[in-house]
Amino acid sequence: DTFNMDNLNDKTLNDASFNSPLEDGDSNMFYGALPIHFEFARELRNNPTEAESFLWNHLHNIKGIRFKRQHPILYFIADFYCHKAKLIIEVDGGYHTIPEQFLYDKNRDKELNELGLKVIRFINEQVLFEIEKTLYVIEKEIKERISLTQKGE
């Protein structure tokens, strides 16, 4: 089953009270994402790529750190998000090397960086065949980001 925007009406697209997960009091972790983004994220969570599933199963091994998968931020959907470290992890398939997609990703990363978020990217093969190295990079980045946050930088 794929996501179908035709099933959504204007109220769904724009009404922040519609089925909103923002009720948890931590709405800043969504950076103004609209209800449509939560619907789209749900569809993506229900249809992960092989590499996304594989990484998701391994992220639980990082002690004391919580990740959200297919997490709405602004008008983007992050593959994985760690709010504590303000870290986004993207798992990219081959189409991310297409010049137009590469440029889109660069601009997206820049916009997310301006929100104080860090984006790190891995290609599918890194996740699937070098999981220990991938997790090492993620853990190192988390430690650095949390350290900076605690220092107030």
Side-chain angles (χ1 to χ4, degrees), residues 32-60:
L34 294 173
I36 183 67
H37 301 118
F38 293 95
E39 293 294 320
F40 187 47
R42 183 179 304 119
E43 291 294 325
L44 290 171
R45 276 193 300 277
N46 290 334
N47 298 291
T49 66
E50 179 185 8
E52 289 170 348
S53 285
F54 191 70
L55 182 57
W56 178 245
N57 289 331
H58 284 81
L59 286 175
H60 297 292

Side-chain angles (χ1 to χ4, degrees), residues 54-99:
F54 191 70
L55 182 57
W56 178 245
N57 289 331
H58 284 81
L59 286 175
H60 297 292
N61 296 331
I62 301 176
K63 301 278 188 246
I65 298 297
R66 182 174 177 210
F67 287 92
K68 299 207 170 245
R69 63 187 172 108
Q70 302 303 337
H71 180 78
I73 297 176
L74 198 58
Y75 35 82
F76 304 112
I77 309 292
D79 288 343
F80 301 97
Y81 178 63
C82 174
H83 186 61
K84 185 174 184 178
K86 306 261 189 270
L87 179 67
I88 296 170
I89 301 166
E90 291 293 320
V91 180
D92 295 340
Y95 72 93
H96 287 270
T97 60
I98 297 169

Side-chain angles (χ1 to χ4, degrees), residues 14 16 34 40 58 60 64 67 87 91 93 102 108 117-118 125 129 134 138 150:
N14 300 309
L34 294 173
F40 187 47
H58 284 81
H60 297 292
F67 287 92
L87 179 67
V91 180
F102 180 79
R108 176 184 186 262
L117 306 172
K118 170 94 185 245
E125 292 76 14
F129 303 115
T134 300
I138 293 169
Q150 290 173 346

Side-chain angles (χ1 to χ4, degrees), residues 5-20 33-39:
M5 287 192 55
D6 295 334
N7 293 336
L8 302 174
N9 59 34
D10 288 337
K11 180 172 174 51
T12 304
L13 296 173
N14 300 309
D15 183 358
S17 67
F18 171 80
N19 200 20
S20 176
L34 294 173
I36 183 67
H37 301 118
F38 293 95
E39 293 294 320

